Amino acid sequence: MKTLIYIEIENGNIQNGSLEIMSLAKTLSDPCAVVIGSDVDNASDAVSAYGIPVIEVPCDKVSDDAEVFILNQIIKDEKPEYVLFAGTLKGKDLAPRVAARNDGACITDVIKADTENGVFTRPAFGGTVLENLKFSADTLKVMTVRSGSFEKLTQGEKAEVTKKEYALPEDALKVILKDSVKEISEKVDLEGANVVIAGGRGMGSKEGFAMVEELASLLGGEVGATRAAVDEEWTTRIHQVGQSGKNIAPKLYIACGLSGAMQHVSGITSSGFIVAINKDEDAPIFDVADLGIVGRCEDILPVLIDEIKKLKGL
Amino acid sequence: MKILVLIKQVPDDVVKVSLSDEKTPDIKNIEKIVNAMDTYAMEMAVREMEANGGEVVVASIGDKDEIRPSLVQEIAVGANRAYIGNLDVSGADEAALSAELLSFIRKIEEQEGSAFDLILTGKESTDEISSQVGALLAEKLSVPFVSSAIGFTKTDAALIVKKETEEGYDVLETTLPAVLSVTKPEYDPRYPSLKNKMKARKAEIPVIELEKAENKVTLTGYDEPAKREAGVKIKEKEAQDAVQKAMAILKEARLV
């Protein structure tokens, strides 16, 4: 039996989560990657270097409708048992549609796999409860996988790339892209970052939040934010960490002026070392922090920034 | 346009859910509210109706007495009328739910005597967080689907949808009927006036009996995530002292 892996391409590169689902696929059954797009030869090559055979499908006009159609054709040809997607916005858009079209089932945000028993674990209720789920035996099993849950695969013996072409019937394309508006120009890689410094409502103002940004830049890390900080427009939503943002697993996470709402905490629990700075001694963020500093961010952060500068000889 | 908004009643997501002694999510004492993203879908539908006419119907599946208050609330927000699909949906997976919703929608359309032009749902619910139901429903209805919608406008021949992306938004064109899953737009859902609330309370909401569909995923049990232990907590009068102590720990752990 096969496991199809949908590879997401970002600016010509393999998206991080797609590397993680490759390692899960290897433990499930015979993996086979699918790369769809125009000018994706390099990406297909890169995937095959992980020892996973690739089906490359040239497609000039990539859209959800086109990709669902193509994936569906591949599923008809390959008859896989599993189809895996990274738990990105796109993965979550495609996965249930692919499942429905094949009368299959879909599990969202898998974080753990007991492959021997076919039991998959996912978070519910803001991540405070985990559900253990099992697919019905004779159904197409589709999953999206939460980023940071599985190790990235290491490269292996180069596998084969097979090109396949599928003609897209007009009536398969129901939604047409007219315009793509970029409001946020910065590139933020929260999921791949080793260091993330995040700020919440306690930063008080855009100027206060700037201290979070300064510390992040000093430590070579990315800036994270809570929903509240994004709603206040101190930063953009691309920085949001937690339930409706990114799930992250940096080596060092510093939480500034955020209380630790469960929707936020669920996105950071895989971090290596958590530092929390908060004036409220009873803030729930301290329950998950390896190092807590009780104090006002406007007092602590300037001193911390100075100390880091000294350390770096700045 | 005739719009159907599908809402789900969920435990208030401000309250932390933990497992009961029976190892199931202990939600019975948590207040039930309308799922946040469904309230955005509702507001979006009502704004469209206020601007361009048409109708908004709101519907939900669940125990008929338990979910009535949520539908009453959305009538107060502006829905013309509501329908209850009476069915115990506890333990239903997304495949079953979407099949049940499909038959529910068909039955509503039968009673209404006309089909819906547009179906809106929240992008995800705060309890199950699966963001599947809108997509599954669109596939089952064989109609166009756009997720993460933050707005839409109808032109003579088409529906233009704004879809939130990582960096901004896409403008997409599609046809009706369609299903959109809605995420937080630039506005908040309104608070209904007391007058509307009082009026809505008396609304007659038809109950449609539904049959259970088959699950494709079964639950083998619940767990709680591994707890992180709280570590060192530094509390000093002077920021300087607190930072010195913290720096020593961070250096020791080779984190700075």
Side-chain angles (χ1 to χ4, degrees):
Chain A
M1 290 293 259
K2 271 190 179 159
T3 296
L4 280 191
I5 311 161
Y6 171 80
I7 303 291
E8 202 168 321
I9 312 287
E10 274 177 351
N11 313 313
N13 299 316
I14 307 169
Q15 186 264 348
N16 272 327
S18 295
L19 292 173
E20 293 165 7
I21 56 173
M22 283 191 222
S23 65
L24 171 61
K26 276 208 157 172
T27 65
L28 288 172
S29 57
D30 211 4
C32 172
V34 178
V35 178
I36 302 170
S38 61
D39 204 13
V40 288
D41 285 2
N42 289 341
S44 301
D45 239 31
V47 174
S48 71
Y50 289 89
I52 292 179
V54 178
I55 298 174
E56 181 184 323
V57 184
C59 179
D60 293 333
K61 280 197 171 161
V62 171
S63 69
D64 285 1
D65 286 345
E67 295 194 90
V68 170
F69 178 85
I70 291 167
L71 284 166
N72 200 35
Q73 298 302 310
I74 296 174
I75 288 164
K76 278 185 190 150
D77 292 345
E78 304 290 329
K79 301 185 176 53
E81 182 182 12
Y82 291 100
V83 185
L84 303 186
F85 295 83
T88 58
L89 287 176
K90 189 170 192 178
K92 287 184 181 178
D93 279 353
L94 299 179
R97 295 182 63 187
V98 166
R101 222 166 265 200
N102 291 280
D103 201 23
C106 180
I107 299 179
T108 306
D109 267 336
V110 168
I111 57 168
K112 207 171 88 185
D114 169 1
T115 48
E116 202 172 309
N117 299 306
V119 176
F120 301 96
T121 303
R122 67 174 300 268
F125 297 102
T128 59
V129 166
L130 303 178
E131 296 176 342
N132 299 317
L133 302 170
K134 212 172 167 144
F135 287 103
S136 304
D138 47 1
T139 192
L140 179 70
K141 304 169 176 71
V142 181
M143 294 186 264
T144 63
V145 177
R146 184 178 265 205
S147 69
S149 302
F150 296 89
E151 293 288 323
K152 281 180 200 157
L153 197 60
T154 47
Q155 297 201 343
E157 199 175 317
K158 206 166 173 59
E160 203 181 342
V161 177
T162 315
K163 281 203 187 186
K164 281 197 174 180
E165 295 207 25
Y166 294 97
L168 291 169
E170 195 106 326
D171 64 354
L173 307 176
K174 294 172 175 161
V175 179
I176 312 296
L177 180 68
K178 288 294 183 188
D179 193 10
S180 210
V181 179
K182 306 264 178 260
E183 294 174 317
I184 303 166
S185 55
E186 53 185 332
K187 286 271 164 264
V188 181
D189 183 15
L190 281 167
E191 283 139 315
N194 278 324
V195 177
V196 174
I197 320 294
R201 197 187 299 279
M203 298 315 300
S205 63
K206 202 173 169 72
E207 292 69 38
F209 196 85
M211 287 194 288
V212 170
E213 290 163 341
E214 187 180 0
L215 187 57
S217 111
L218 280 171
L219 292 170
E222 295 282 8
V223 174
T226 62
R227 171 87 183 254
V230 173
D231 284 349
E232 293 285 351
E233 295 181 8
W234 298 337
T235 186
T236 55
R237 66 166 189 278
I238 202 164
H239 292 279
Q240 192 172 323
V241 171
Q243 194 66 77
S244 34
K246 295 280 168 20
N247 298 291
I248 58 170
K251 291 196 175 85
L252 173 64
Y253 179 76
I254 305 183
C256 309
L258 63 91
S259 63
M262 62 186 175
Q263 286 84 353
H264 180 79
V265 169
S266 74
I268 62 160
T269 43
S270 304
S271 304
F273 194 91
I274 298 177
V275 180
I277 307 168
N278 200 298
K279 66 175 195 285
D280 174 11
E281 201 177 331
D282 299 320
I285 190 70
F286 286 125
D287 297 340
V288 298
D290 300 281
L291 170 60
I293 306 172
V294 182
R296 302 194 315 165
C297 285
E298 60 258 47
D299 299 333
I300 302 288
L301 279 178
V303 183
L304 185 60
I305 286 168
D306 275 351
E307 286 296 321
I308 302 281
K309 276 185 182 163
K310 265 191 236 162
L311 195 70
K312 307 245 167 200
L314 295 168
Chain B
M1 257 197 304
K2 189 167 178 180
I3 305 175
L4 174 66
V5 182
L6 296 170
I7 64 166
K8 184 181 186 186
Q9 190 169 278
V10 295
D12 189 344
D13 59 314
V14 172
V15 185
K16 187 181 167 190
V17 175
S18 33
L19 294 185
S20 66
D21 294 341
E22 293 82 42
K23 294 271 172 226
T24 57
D26 193 0
I27 54 170
K28 60 179 182 299
N29 294 324
I30 303 176
E31 191 193 350
K32 303 299 184 290
I33 60 168
V34 180
N35 177 50
M37 286 189 183
D38 300 345
T39 66
Y40 296 128
M42 190 65 211
E43 180 65 33
M44 203 175 275
V46 171
R47 283 179 182 226
E48 160 64 24
M49 178 173 66
E50 286 168 347
N52 300 308
E55 283 185 300
V56 176
V57 175
V58 61
S60 187
I61 297 187
D63 176 276
K64 63 179 192 299
D65 299 319
E66 273 176 31
I67 64 172
R68 186 183 150 89
S70 288
L71 292 162
V72 164
Q73 185 191 323
E74 298 310 339
I75 291 174
V77 165
N80 297 106
R81 51 195 175 278
Y83 287 88
I84 289 171
N86 188 35
L87 185 70
D88 174 12
V89 284
S90 55
D93 71 356
E94 291 82 1
L97 263 179
S98 55
E100 290 155 3
L101 280 169
L102 179 70
S103 100
F104 186 31
I105 293 167
R106 294 301 187 218
K107 286 179 177 173
I108 296 174
E109 289 180 334
E110 213 171 278
Q111 291 209 4
E112 289 273 315
S114 67
F116 292 104
D117 299 306
L118 186 61
I119 298 175
L120 304 184
T121 71
K123 185 184 157 202
E124 62 190 24
S125 63
T126 50
D127 55 354
E128 283 296 330
I129 339 166
S130 78
S131 60
Q132 286 191 36
V133 171
L136 294 178
L137 195 57
E139 287 292 325
K140 288 206 156 95
L141 288 161
S142 296
V143 301
F145 173 68
V146 178
S147 73
S148 305
I150 49 172
F152 63 84
T153 36
K154 189 179 170 309
T155 63
D156 286 343
L159 183 76
I160 309 293
V161 186
K162 266 169 97 173
K163 171 183 174 161
E164 187 179 85
T165 61
E166 291 254 338
E167 298 96 13
Y169 61 90
D170 284 349
V171 180
L172 301 159
E173 185 182 299
T174 190
T175 52
L176 295 172
V179 175
L180 309 182
S181 81
V182 170
T183 192
K184 189 182 185 309
E186 280 167 353
Y187 45 79
D188 285 317
R190 71 192 66 185
Y191 290 103
S193 67
L194 191 61
K195 195 177 137 207
N196 285 350
K197 272 186 176 168
M198 299 292 285
K199 215 169 111 193
R201 222 176 277 170
K202 292 182 200 129
E204 200 166 301
I205 303 179
V207 175
I208 295 175
E209 296 297 331
L210 297 172
E211 275 171 42
K212 233 177 168 37
E214 202 185 328
N215 270 13
K216 290 180 185 296
V217 170
T218 45
L219 185 98
T220 63
Y222 291 100
D223 280 322
E224 280 185 355
K227 293 240 179 339
R228 281 187 79 103
E229 293 290 317
V232 184
K233 203 190 258 180
I234 298 169
K235 205 179 153 190
E236 296 288 337
K237 240 196 178 107
E238 297 299 326
Q240 198 70 44
D241 298 337
V243 170
Q244 291 296 348
K245 281 194 176 171
M247 283 299 286
I249 293 169
L250 290 173
K251 278 186 214 163
E252 170 83 30
R254 294 175 180 278
L255 288 163
V256 290

